Amino acid sequence: MNLRWRTAREVGGDFYDVFRNRKKQLSFVIADVSDKGMPAALYMTVTRTLIRSAAQSLDSPAEVLKRVNELLEMDSQNGMFVTAIYATLDPHTGSLTYANAGHNLPLLLRSENHAVERLSKGGIALGVVSKANYQDCQIQIDPGDSLLFYTDGVTETFSSGGELFGEERLFQALASSNTHSAEGLLEELENEINAFRQGEAPSDDMTMIALHRKITEETSSSGT
């Protein structure tokens, strides 16, 4: 796993977190608060704390987001909301379970045929309505596959001429990647985005998390 995090201002609204849940599984979050500045940063801190707390008593990512949503909606601040993905990963099998609360759809790059897949759409953002439902989704990350999570600051990057980077450019950049590591993938994508911006200052926070499952002698010989 590797990540990139850049704020458009001194205090940003994007956040990520990586920790172990109560089953000692690797858990991670990527999220984006709807506002900027100090109010967004405070809301971000509250959300991060609630997710960590819920993950120590609930196993399902969907149930974690449901619980966090209920608590945020009870104490909604100035109409702010949070888009988020919470996921748990078994690094030994490559099985990843996640739930999506209105966040940008992650992209999965398959090494077998170099195809890019968009993961399933999720429920509504956190803190909008009290009785929101979320769904657990499960995918298998095979040896050689890469998975990208990102915030809208990536796709909503502007060039000096006012052109939007967009999801399709990100899709194509991922599909054309030849790297074999999470760090290498993010470096390629960041270079692509910086070249597109042509020196234009970022208009929004930008966060990317990449997972890459390495091909080992064990996985090669077993055919998994």
Side-chain angles (χ1 to χ4, degrees):
M1 176 186 291
N2 207 281
L3 58 92
R4 294 287 190 279
W5 180 69
R6 179 187 297 170
T7 60
R9 303 180 185 178
E10 289 186 9
V11 180
D14 280 10
F15 73 94
Y16 66 88
D17 199 6
V18 181
F19 59 94
R20 297 281 180 179
N21 63 10
R22 69 172 185 166
K23 287 187 171 182
K24 305 305 179 183
Q25 295 171 313
L26 181 64
S27 301
F28 63 93
V29 181
I30 184 168
D32 184 4
V33 181
S34 60
D35 204 352
K36 299 288 188 296
M38 189 56 69
L42 294 174
Y43 203 57
M44 170 189 70
T45 302
V46 170
T47 304
R48 177 181 178 272
T49 302
L50 291 176
I51 290 175
R52 278 201 170 221
S53 176
Q56 300 310 316
S57 60
L58 299 168
D59 297 327
S60 159
E63 289 300 316
V64 168
L65 292 187
K66 183 178 179 181
R67 179 58 177 155
V68 172
N69 175 73
E70 290 170 350
L71 295 171
L72 285 178
E73 203 278 334
M74 287 170 56
D75 190 28
S76 182
Q77 301 180 21
N78 301 320
M80 284 191 290
F81 59 87
V82 183
T83 68
I85 293 176
Y86 171 59
T88 60
L89 173 69
D90 184 336
H92 301 293
T93 65
S95 176
L96 183 134
T97 304
Y98 71 95
N100 188 343
H103 200 75
N104 303 81
L105 302 185
L107 300 175
L108 177 62
L109 175 62
R110 294 292 190 187
S111 64
E112 184 178 6
N113 54 9
H114 226 65
V116 178
E117 303 172 7
R118 289 180 176 90
L119 300 195
S120 300
K121 187 177 181 180
I124 194 169
L126 303 173
V128 178
V129 296
S130 58
K131 295 183 179 180
N133 289 313
Y134 303 96
Q135 180 180 358
D136 282 334
C137 300
Q138 191 170 48
I139 62 168
Q140 180 65 33
I141 304 175
D142 295 327
D145 290 351
S146 297
L147 180 60
L148 177 71
F149 296 84
Y150 63 96
T151 58
D152 59 11
V154 174
T155 50
E156 294 180 7
T157 293
F158 287 92
S159 69
S160 57
E163 189 178 2
L164 193 67
F165 187 76
E167 186 180 89
E168 196 56 40
R169 278 193 177 86
L170 179 61
F171 193 100
Q172 292 171 0
L174 187 61
S176 62
S177 172
N178 291 311
T179 189
H180 301 291
S181 70
E183 182 179 6
L185 176 62
L186 292 185
E187 186 174 348
E188 287 183 0
L189 294 177
E190 192 170 39
N191 289 340
E192 187 88 13
I193 293 168
N194 288 338
F196 177 80
R197 283 172 47 214
Q198 298 175 325
E200 187 73 13
S203 58
D204 197 0
D205 305 331
M206 185 178 74
T207 305
M208 296 186 287
I209 297 177
L211 304 178
H212 177 79
R213 189 178 180 194
K214 293 181 179 179
I215 299 175
T216 65
E217 290 184 6
E218 182 180 351
T219 57
S220 297
S221 60
S222 64
T224 59

